[in-house]
Amino acid sequence: MRWSFRLVTIAGTEIKLHVTFLFLVAWYAFAAWQTGGWPAAQTSVLFLLLVFVCILLHEFGHILMARRFGIRTPDVLLSPIGGLARLERMPEEPYQELLVAVAGPVVTLVIAMALWGAIQFTGGTAEIAAFDPGRESLLPALFRLNVVLLAFNLLPAFPMDGGRVLRALLVRRRGMVEGTRIAARIGQLFAMGFGVIGLFTSQILLFVVAAFIYLAAEAEAQAVATRAAGRGVTAAGMMVTDLRMLRVYATLEDAVKLLLAGEQREFPIVDNDGRLEGLLTRDDLVRGLSTVGPTATVGQVMSRVQEPLAPATPFDTALERLRASGLPALPVVNPERQVIGLLTVDNITDLLLVRRHVPGLP
Ligand code: ZN
C-alpha cells in the first residue's frame, strides 16, 4: 500500500499527503458530526484545511531557508505530526541545519502572533480559553493550534525541529553519525513517553504521533549511518563480479540447475554479446515454472530492468535506485550495456557491516 500521494507542486516542491492525515480529517469530521451534525462537521473540515495551510507555511519556512544554502526540497510530506520537508541533502554545516530547523517554528510564531492580533482586533479574546469544538469561531481555535504546534515542535524530540536543533549542537561535538544517534535516542525516549501518556489517557492521536516520531528517528539515524558507511564507494566497489548469467533463450530448467548449483539467487539475462536483457529473480523463476513450465525460456519470465547501474554510480544513488526498482538486485553495465557485475541487497548489507566496524574498508 502507498502511504502518501501527491497533491500539488509549489515552487518545485511536491506537496504530499500521508493517508493518516485523511483519517484525521475523517475522524474529526465524524466526531463533530456526532455532537453538532453537518454544520459542525463542515466547520471541522474547514478548520483542518486551515491547519493544513498553517503547517504548509511552517514547512515553507524550512524550505526557503534551505534554499538560501542552495538546498532544494523535492517534496514535503504532511502527516498528523505536522510536515516533514525532505531536503535534497542535509546542510553540511551544523549552523545551517540549525537555521533551517528554526525557520519553521519562526513562521508558526509569526502566524500565532498575527492570529492573536486579529483576535484582539475583533474583540474575541475571551474565546481563546473556551473550547467548544464545532461551535467556537475559527480564529481562537487556529491560534491555540499554532501555539501547540510551536511548543510541540520546540521539544528536543528528533526528528522534530527542536530535536534537529539539538542534533546540530551534538554534531559539532560528536560528529554526524554519533550526534544523530544520540539525538534519535532522545527523540525515541520522548516518543515512548508520549506513547505511554497517549495509552493511559486513551488519546489515540498522541499515540499515533509517538509511533511516528519513534520510527522516523530510527529511520533517520539508520540513513545517516548508512550514508556515512558508504561514503566514497561506487557501484563498482560493491558489486559481485564472480557471477553467472543466462542467455535470453536459456530454459527455466537451465536456470533451476544454476540456482541449485550455487548461492546466486538472481541472474542477469544477456544476449549473445553479453548485453543486458533483463534480470531473472528467484520469484520470476518459481512463478515461471508454475505458469509456463520448465521448457519455456528465461526471456519470457524475466523482470525488466529500467535503469541498470553504471560502475561509477555513487553509493547513495545506487542504493536509492535499487530500492526504487523493487528488485532484489540490479545489474551493473559498462557503456556498451554489457553486464560486468551485480549489486544485491545482501552485498550492500555486508559492505555496511564491515565498514561500520572497520571504517575505510574495503
Ligand atoms: Zn518544522
Side-chain angles (χ1 to χ4, degrees), residues 158-159 164 167 176-188 213-229 356:
F158 186 79
R164 290 197 178 277
R167 198 256 295 260
M176 192 63 178
V177 177
E178 188 68 5
T180 305
R181 207 180 57 80
I182 298 170
R185 288 289 166 270
I186 295 173
Q188 289 181 326
I213 296 174
Y214 192 92
L215 295 176
E218 187 67 41
E220 181 126 1
Q222 282 285 344
V224 167
T226 303
R227 264 204 307 277
R356 241 178 243 181

Side-chain angles (χ1 to χ4, degrees), residues 55 58-59 62 83-85 100-105 108 153 159-162 164:
I55 291 176
H58 170 108
E59 288 311 311
H62 295 306
L84 277 179
V100 171
V102 164
T108 301
N153 265 303
M160 291 195 302
D161 297 335
R164 290 197 178 277

Side-chain angles (χ1 to χ4, degrees), residues 51-63:
V51 170
F52 178 94
V53 171
C54 288
I55 291 176
L56 208 54
L57 288 171
H58 170 108
E59 288 311 311
F60 269 90
H62 295 306
I63 292 168

Side-chain angles (χ1 to χ4, degrees), residues 98-176:
L98 201 138
L99 287 179
V100 171
V102 164
V106 166
V107 171
T108 301
L109 181 66
V110 170
I111 296 173
M113 278 161 42
L115 286 168
W116 173 258
I119 293 164
Q120 292 285 342
F121 192 70
T122 55
T125 349
E127 286 180 81
I128 288 177
F131 188 56
D132 188 5
R135 213 163 304 165
E136 73 171 341
S137 45
L138 285 174
L139 285 188
L142 214 52
F143 168 75
R144 206 169 25 239
L145 177 108
N146 275 283
V147 170
V148 170
L149 208 65
L150 182 65
F152 207 62
N153 265 303
L154 289 180
L155 287 176
F158 186 79
M160 291 195 302
D161 297 335
R164 290 197 178 277
V165 172
L166 176 70
R167 198 256 295 260
L169 297 175
L170 285 168
V171 163
R172 292 176 63 162
R173 290 161 172 270
R174 302 294 197 94
M176 192 63 178

Side-chain angles (χ1 to χ4, degrees), residues 40-100:
Q42 280 166 9
T43 313
S44 283
V45 171
L46 175 65
F47 174 68
L48 273 171
L49 288 180
L50 289 171
V51 170
F52 178 94
V53 171
C54 288
I55 291 176
L56 208 54
L57 288 171
H58 170 108
E59 288 311 311
F60 269 90
H62 295 306
I63 292 168
L64 294 179
M65 182 60 85
R67 192 169 291 178
R68 282 180 56 129
F69 301 122
I71 300 164
R72 291 184 311 119
T73 310
D75 58 50
V76 43
L77 177 66
L78 293 163
S79 68
I81 58 161
L84 277 179
R86 202 166 57 90
L87 305 190
E88 178 186 52
R89 60 183 171 83
M90 288 320 288
E92 281 130 33
E93 299 293 326
Y95 88 91
Q96 291 183 346
E97 168 162 49
L98 201 138
L99 287 179
V100 171

